[in-house]
Amino acid sequence: MNPQRPRTAASRSTTILSLYLGAGLVAVAVSFAGLPGDRSAEVSMATVVAAFVVGQQLVRYDARAQFGGFFAAALFVVSVNFAVPMTVLAVHGERVSATVADLRSVTPPLGMGSHYRYGLVDAQGRRIAGFLVEPSRAFVVGDQIMVVVDRRDWVAPQTTNEVDEARPYLLAALIGFVLTVAMSLIGGHSRGDGPPPERGLFGIWIFSR
């Protein structure tokens, strides 16, 4: 047995949970990075996959707990990524009437996650920091819309309808967190069936461990 790998049920559970909580912290940080479109959610999901793969190398546990923990963590991390900026605006944001000053269609190199970025000005004609990002061409130049802005410029502006969705995302994040904790405990107290393979795809040991 590799002495660097966690041996006790408590240490195995802690390892699994810590990796997924780390992915959650990355999701929080990414939500403030101002990434366009769905890129923020994509990066957050990538951290969940990374946490899963690293956990595979460190802990040998039941495949059902692996699948359950992965999907629970995905719900937790992605919901947190959406909920954080919405919550910041819901708590500290200011609702203002804004006018669309300019818009730009943005298509990433791979053609995935195309979106529209709207530049806004307030009633006094002052530029609002950041861009309103929408997946479709919902507005045109000159349209007046109600948005919530963060005067500290921590997060980008969002429409009032988007900010009102903060509570469902927070609830989903809470449910995902509870399930992630539960699956981590189950995984830490379980064992994989049979010996692990000598090596798998790219050296990664997956499932049936």
Side-chain angles (χ1 to χ4, degrees):
M1 179 181 295
N2 190 331
Q4 295 181 343
R5 292 181 179 173
R7 301 182 181 184
T8 66
S11 62
R12 290 196 299 269
S13 295
T14 301
T15 299
I16 298 168
L17 181 60
S18 296
L19 288 168
Y20 285 134
L21 291 182
L25 291 176
V26 172
V28 172
V30 168
S31 68
F32 290 104
L35 294 179
D38 295 330
R39 287 297 179 87
S40 181
E42 292 169 0
V43 172
S44 299
M45 192 62 206
T47 63
V48 178
V49 175
F52 174 76
V53 171
V54 172
Q56 285 287 324
Q57 311 309 300
L58 298 177
V59 183
R60 182 184 177 208
Y61 62 110
D62 183 74
R64 290 167 295 185
Q66 295 175 27
F67 274 119
F70 175 80
F71 288 113
L75 173 64
F76 164 60
V77 172
V78 175
S79 297
V80 162
N81 178 258
F82 283 111
V84 167
M86 292 178 181
T87 303
V88 170
L89 290 173
V91 175
H92 298 292
E94 177 183 352
R95 296 185 178 230
V96 301
S97 177
T99 301
V100 178
D102 57 78
L103 67 88
R104 182 160 64 98
S105 175
V106 179
T107 302
L110 297 180
M112 300 177 61
S114 299
H115 58 277
Y116 288 85
R117 298 176 64 175
Y118 298 89
L120 306 173
V121 296
D122 61 18
Q124 288 72 42
R126 295 173 299 191
R127 188 78 178 193
I128 295 175
F131 294 91
L132 176 66
V133 178
E134 298 292 337
S136 61
R137 187 167 181 171
F139 312 107
V140 297
V141 174
D143 279 355
Q144 289 191 333
I145 55 178
M146 290 297 298
V147 296
V148 184
V149 300
D150 178 19
R151 291 302 184 184
R152 295 170 298 185
D153 300 336
W154 285 4
V155 295
Q158 297 188 21
T159 65
T160 54
N161 289 337
E162 290 169 336
V163 174
D164 290 340
E165 294 175 355
R167 183 171 297 179
Y169 278 106
L170 285 172
L171 179 60
L174 177 60
I175 293 173
F177 173 74
V178 171
L179 291 176
T180 301
V181 172
M183 297 310 300
S184 297
L185 292 173
I186 293 173
H189 287 78
S190 68
R191 289 284 188 176
D193 298 327
E198 292 185 1
R199 58 177 174 270
L201 182 63
F202 302 116
I204 298 173
W205 296 347
I206 308 178
F207 317 129
S208 298
R209 296 187 57 206

